[in-house]
Amino acid sequence: MGSVVSGNLLLAMLREPACVTQWTAGQWNLFLPQVRQARLMGRCYFLLEKTGLLDAVPPRIVDQLRGALVQTRYVQNQARRELEQVRRTLVSIDCPLIAMKGVAYLAAELPSAAWRNLSDVDLLVPRERIEDVEALLKRSGWQLNGDFDTYDQHYYHDWMHEVPPLIHRLRETEVDIHHNLAPPVSTIKIDAHKLWESAVEISPGLSVLAPTDMLLHNAVHLFMNDELRGGLRDVVDFVDLLSHFSVAQPDFEAALLARAAQLGCGLPLFYAVDTAQRLLALETSDDFHAGVQRFAPVAPIRGLMRLLIKQTLAPLRPGLRRTGFASWLLFVRSHWVRMPLPMLLRHLAQKSFKKHDATPTIDATPG
């Protein structure tokens, strides 16, 4: 395990906070861009405060961590407001709503709400209602957050598990409306009705995913939907959620394994647990560890993914970048797991054509 965290001060702190008592000024200068890049400044502040180590941290570092937390509070308030605005809007069509990821942690008052920043509001509605929801929001002041041509609209509405991102014309918080946790054309087929059957209502018209489904969504989002862009923060979320729910429910690990098998999410669960163990020293029961291994891919793929995950999620030292080859592999994989080969080839051809268009544009298209 030591080789995984070697040179990564942020990982070292998250695994063993007391290590900061030995850090030099130069190490703190290396740590700051790592924690900022990983969007974990608030998490580190709370960790240092909880362990009584703030006095061991240079005041200028404490000030920056605390300042990031103030900004997080502002963003959280914006997200809460946007969630309430959407909920009120959907009341007119009697459409249920599930908050997901960061805004769900806030709405359900989970421990990570104390520090968790977020960049958008992720929501789930029934598949049969998503067109009505999108149309209503557009009539009510939300608009597309970017330029989406006819092909982009087709990509989202016919192939993906969400509609194009929206943003209110008077506000700046992005709203992403989903009807599932993974694209319907992807290698993972999730029965969204099961998500609704187990959802937990927290207020009239608003629910959050069941605890097991929260963790599986975290894993699917990071390891199956894109190029690991959720980053180390999603892995920290996974560890925090698993720790919290395992304390609240003694049989939670067994329930998570069973739910992963039921929803067909065993592979992303394996990647999430394996990554959390390797990077953050996650501790689980022997039974849970053995159960997760049943979902592991074959050894060559497992080894390659571990290498790519390490390069991508382990914070980079200043001046280093993920290799172009690793980025390319992750890009190809992110599309491969989202759509069958004929569809993938068509999509990549369309993307290539757009990039070579004579009129320069900002590429805001999906993928």
Side-chain angles (χ1 to χ4, degrees):
M1 288 255 189
S3 62
V4 174
V5 300
S6 178
N8 293 288
L9 296 171
L10 175 54
L11 290 182
M13 174 196 279
L14 292 172
R15 291 163 61 100
E16 185 50 61
C19 71
V20 304
T21 61
Q22 307 299 320
W23 284 3
T24 65
Q27 287 174 303
W28 282 112
N29 287 336
L30 290 174
F31 164 79
L32 196 57
Q34 288 181 358
V35 68
R36 184 178 291 115
Q37 176 186 347
R39 299 172 297 169
L40 286 169
M41 296 183 75
R43 178 67 169 83
C44 287
Y45 179 87
F46 270 89
L47 180 60
L48 293 167
E49 183 180 51
K50 178 182 177 181
T51 53
L53 291 167
L54 280 178
D55 290 342
V57 182
R60 66 182 183 86
I61 302 294
V62 174
D63 288 344
Q64 294 203 45
L65 296 178
R66 189 180 289 122
L69 203 55
V70 172
Q71 182 184 30
T72 292
R73 294 279 186 269
Y74 171 78
V75 174
Q76 288 178 337
N77 287 334
Q78 297 292 93
R80 287 190 180 96
R81 180 191 64 182
E82 202 69 19
L83 173 61
E84 179 59 17
Q85 292 291 340
V86 173
R87 188 195 67 80
R88 289 182 180 180
T89 301
L90 298 189
V91 166
S92 64
I93 59 173
D94 192 28
C95 181
L97 192 65
I98 292 179
M100 301 193 298
K101 291 186 66 62
V103 73
Y105 310 155
L106 297 177
E109 299 181 348
L110 294 174
S112 58
W115 61 267
R116 178 60 153 77
N117 202 345
L118 63 166
S119 56
D120 51 31
V121 173
D122 288 297
L123 304 171
L124 186 77
V125 300
R127 175 65 185 91
E128 62 272 14
R129 304 298 305 276
I130 195 166
E131 288 83 5
D132 294 338
V133 169
E134 182 184 23
L136 176 59
L137 291 178
K138 287 181 176 179
R139 292 196 303 270
S140 303
W142 283 267
Q143 57 193 21
L144 291 176
N145 188 20
D147 296 323
F148 298 89
D149 62 18
T150 301
Y151 174 77
D152 299 330
Q153 295 280 352
H154 159 69
Y155 173 90
Y156 273 103
H157 290 104
D158 297 334
W159 294 351
M160 292 295 103
H161 57 305
E162 58 185 321
V163 295
L166 301 171
I167 192 169
H168 196 274
R169 64 174 182 269
L170 300 179
R171 300 185 291 270
E172 297 182 356
T173 303
E174 181 179 298
V175 175
D176 291 340
I177 307 294
H178 303 72
H179 62 79
N180 207 320
L181 307 187
V185 298
S186 73
T187 55
I188 290 184
K189 308 296 183 184
I190 298 175
D191 184 351
H193 292 97
K194 288 182 168 58
L195 304 176
W196 285 97
E197 291 170 358
S198 301
V200 179
E201 187 174 56
I202 57 175
S203 64
L206 178 65
S207 301
V208 294
L209 294 171
T212 54
D213 297 351
M214 277 192 186
L215 277 144
L216 294 175
H217 181 213
N218 172 288
V220 168
H221 173 77
L222 181 56
F223 294 105
M224 303 304 291
N225 277 349
D226 54 29
E227 305 165 55
L228 308 186
R229 284 183 295 224
L232 184 63
R233 185 183 65 171
D234 277 7
V235 183
V236 172
D237 283 346
F238 184 88
V239 172
D240 287 348
L241 289 170
L242 182 58
S243 300
H244 172 72
F245 291 128
S246 294
V247 171
Q249 305 174 30
D251 61 344
F252 184 76
E253 289 183 341
L256 181 57
L257 288 173
R259 188 63 163 175
Q262 182 184 44
L263 294 180
C265 297
L267 181 59
L269 177 62
F270 166 80
Y271 283 133
V273 173
D274 185 66
T275 301
Q277 289 174 333
R278 295 174 62 246
L279 297 187
L280 299 178
L282 171 68
E283 295 183 0
T284 66
S285 69
D286 292 341
D287 288 344
F288 183 69
H289 178 77
V292 168
Q293 296 308 307
R294 299 199 311 267
F295 302 125
V298 296
I301 294 178
R302 182 167 66 246
L304 177 60
M305 280 298 292
R306 280 178 170 174
L307 176 63
L308 295 176
I309 289 169
K310 175 186 173 182
Q311 289 192 18
T312 306
L313 300 188
L316 304 175
R317 286 170 292 175
L320 297 182
R321 294 291 184 271
R322 184 172 65 184
T323 67
F325 184 61
S327 298
W328 181 80
L329 284 177
L330 287 171
F331 172 79
V332 171
R333 178 188 178 272
S334 71
H335 286 77
W336 181 264
V337 299
R338 276 191 290 182
M339 57 185 74
L341 182 58
M343 192 178 295
L344 172 60
L345 293 176
R346 175 186 171 189
H347 178 66
L348 294 179
Q350 180 70 23
K351 293 280 289 183
S352 177
F353 174 78
K354 291 183 66 173
K355 286 182 179 179
H356 289 87
D357 189 276
T359 304
T361 60
I362 297 176
D363 184 9
T365 58

